[in-house]
Amino acid sequence: MDDPQQPSHCRACKESSLLCNKCKIETYCSTQCQKADFPIHGLLCSKFADFDITPRPSKDHRRAILFGEYADEPEMIWVAGNATNADVGATTLQIEPHLVKHAYIKDKLPLKEELLNPICVCFRGEFNEERSNRSIARITSMGFGDHYTWQGCVVAYGSNRWGGREDLDMKDYRHVAEFFLSCDSRIAPQMVWSMSPKVKAVRVNCEGSQRYLNKPQFEQIELSSNHYIFEYNSTSDIADRIGIPIFTYRCYPIPSPSDDYDWHDNLYAEYLHLSCDPESKGWGTAIDHEEFDGTYCSFIMVRQDKKPLSLCAAEALCKYCLFEVGPFLELSAEEDGHNDENNVKRSGALSKEAILSLICRQTFFLYYLKIAREKEDGTQQKVDNASNPYE
């Protein structure tokens, strides 16, 4: 997952490179440097070279690395590309989803190399007894000082900004190895990154996720406060205008089991990202957010200030964009493209200024109260005051 346009350097000394004859991935400047790196590289080199990628289980499966608890060496495995991080961890590590923990390797690596996409290290976060992962212990034994004791099985797989998976290769393996070597005996630095305070977010599921995975339309989730959504994201002009700035990112679409054209339907994904910039050519459309323009899929939304985003607030915001603001913006965008030569509109569409004056905190809060009352009437339960988006 390194940048293919970047020159390849020796793994050991960073000078000019020669290719490893076995894996055909890793590079060295000399046989001396290759021998110096072999104690770590050799643990996986042959297995990687012999790993047959032809019988890929499905087009969505991706190549990953498993560090078995009782195995002496890591091995290559397949992981599902359309599963959540928790599901991948639970299936691969054979534990309950709530026990799965994650650490992300994306930059500030010991090798000082930037990755195009982060590598996710998935492990069990709780143990009742002390037991060391043998395959990782062989790697950390090559370093100096005391290292963090990894327990149970650990799996590393490539991730991307869309929530999907990427194949790992031998260069990625070395990034993971250096990550293990950087974790001291007190606590792994990147584990602090992944175990940092949680932020309440909401996943808005598409039709396929609701029908196939039995997911609710609006699903409360928790993200690490250092989750990469806070670095790689889209934003919402409408949410900005009403005083609740959010970050969003498009989730990897689950494959349709048939020619079901409604499988990924999720109008909220597009309407939440309609442009409110009167100077933009994308006014009233999601063109400025191409990943959401005409693309219906599940997506995640979280507040930029990292305050909790409640289900009620997220539902109200999505419906406000679709039913309250969307029709005005769509009509305005349509008319904006049909002005006559004198720039006079041929219909009674509201002006951009009038529309922008309607998109404000007051109108949204009234709509939010309406949604809250509907939820109270439907469940006979009072919506928690903590869900108020402005408190």
Side-chain angles (χ1 to χ4, degrees):
M1 299 199 305
D2 290 321
D3 190 342
Q5 296 181 352
Q6 292 295 320
S8 185
H9 299 291
C10 175
R11 173 60 63 187
C13 72
K14 302 291 185 154
E15 299 298 330
S16 58
S17 60
L18 294 174
L19 197 64
C20 173
N21 289 328
K22 187 67 175 178
C23 69
K24 308 296 184 184
I25 297 292
E26 198 57 275
T27 52
Y28 302 93
C29 67
S30 64
T31 55
Q32 288 78 11
C33 279
Q34 186 172 12
K35 288 180 180 179
D37 190 52
F38 189 76
I40 291 179
H41 178 80
L43 294 177
L44 188 63
C45 181
S46 295
K47 292 185 179 66
F48 176 84
D50 296 338
F51 191 70
D52 189 358
I53 63 173
T54 303
R56 191 180 289 263
S58 77
K59 65 178 182 179
D60 297 308
H61 277 74
R62 296 293 181 265
R63 191 170 54 204
I65 304 172
L66 176 66
F67 298 86
E69 180 179 9
Y70 302 111
D72 291 325
E73 299 176 344
E75 61 180 301
M76 303 303 300
I77 62 170
W78 294 111
V79 297
N82 55 5
T84 65
N85 286 346
D87 289 339
V88 169
T91 302
T92 308
L93 307 183
Q94 297 183 343
I95 60 177
E96 294 297 322
H98 71 276
L99 294 176
V100 177
K101 301 295 182 183
H102 307 90
Y104 288 90
I105 308 170
K106 59 177 181 176
D107 54 20
K108 298 182 180 179
L109 301 172
L111 297 174
K112 305 302 181 184
E113 297 178 2
E114 183 177 358
L115 300 179
L116 286 178
N117 294 300
I119 299 172
C120 182
V121 178
C122 183
F123 57 98
R124 177 170 178 165
E126 299 177 5
F127 277 94
N128 295 323
E129 59 186 66
E130 186 76 12
R131 47 182 177 177
S132 174
N133 181 298
R134 288 167 57 180
S135 56
I136 297 179
R138 289 195 66 184
I139 294 175
T140 56
S141 67
M142 311 295 175
F144 298 98
D146 295 328
H147 295 90
Y148 181 79
T149 301
W150 295 85
Q151 298 176 281
C153 292
V154 177
V155 62
Y157 53 86
S159 186
N160 60 39
R161 63 172 296 188
W162 310 117
R165 308 281 178 262
E166 300 289 343
D167 280 329
L168 292 189
D169 60 23
M170 287 302 294
K171 289 186 180 293
D172 299 309
Y173 160 67
R174 190 50 194 253
H175 288 309
V176 177
E178 291 289 351
F179 164 68
F180 291 144
L181 288 167
S182 71
C183 300
D184 65 28
S185 59
R186 293 167 297 175
I187 187 167
Q190 294 287 350
M191 287 171 63
V192 175
W193 191 97
S194 68
M195 292 181 182
S196 56
K198 299 298 182 180
V199 178
K200 281 193 174 182
V202 174
R203 178 184 171 114
V204 185
N205 290 300
C206 65
E207 287 289 334
S209 294
Q210 295 177 57
R211 288 155 49 188
Y212 181 66
L213 301 178
N214 296 319
K215 296 283 189 178
Q217 187 171 34
F218 295 92
E219 178 184 4
Q220 191 82 68
I221 61 174
E222 287 188 338
L223 303 177
S224 163
S225 60
N226 284 320
H227 191 279
Y228 55 82
I229 189 176
F230 294 105
E231 183 173 350
Y232 305 103
N233 53 61
S234 291
T235 57
S236 168
D237 287 358
I238 298 175
D240 288 345
R241 290 193 63 84
I242 64 173
I244 311 177
I246 61 170
F247 288 136
T248 63
Y249 78 82
R250 177 178 177 267
C251 298
Y252 190 81
I254 62 173
S256 173
S258 61
D259 294 330
D260 188 343
Y261 296 104
D262 297 330
W263 187 253
H264 295 126
D265 273 5
N266 191 352
L267 288 175
Y268 296 133
E270 182 172 2
Y271 279 76
L272 184 65
H273 296 89
L274 295 181
S275 173
C276 293
D277 182 359
E279 304 300 325
S280 171
K281 294 182 179 179
W283 163 263
T285 71
I287 292 177
D288 293 341
H289 301 277
E290 58 181 350
E291 64 267 37
F292 291 104
D293 182 31
T295 301
Y296 309 126
C297 55
S298 300
F299 67 95
I300 289 177
M301 52 194 299
V302 63
R303 290 181 59 133
Q304 293 183 20
D305 57 13
K306 300 185 180 181
K307 291 182 178 180
L309 178 63
S310 69
L311 286 173
C312 185
E315 181 177 345
L317 177 55
C318 287
K319 291 183 176 180
Y320 176 77
C321 293
L322 177 60
F323 300 115
E324 298 295 305
V325 177
F328 291 110
L329 286 174
E330 281 189 315
L331 181 58
S332 176
E334 181 181 349
E335 293 300 323
D336 202 39
H338 295 85
N339 293 347
D340 61 23
E341 295 180 355
N342 296 320
N343 200 34
V344 176
K345 293 184 180 297
R346 295 182 296 173
S347 77
L350 292 177
S351 66
K352 294 180 180 179
E353 293 76 10
I355 294 175
L356 291 176
S357 68
L358 292 175
I359 307 173
C360 61
R361 171 171 174 161
Q362 290 79 5
T363 58
F364 170 72
F365 188 64
L366 289 175
Y367 192 79
Y368 165 81
L369 292 177
K370 172 187 174 183
I371 297 297
R373 293 191 187 100
E374 290 176 352
K375 295 177 73 68
E376 289 176 7
D377 292 341
T379 62
Q380 301 301 315
Q381 293 181 355
K382 186 174 179 60
V383 176
D384 189 349
N385 289 333
S387 66
N388 186 331
Y390 295 113
E391 290 186 355

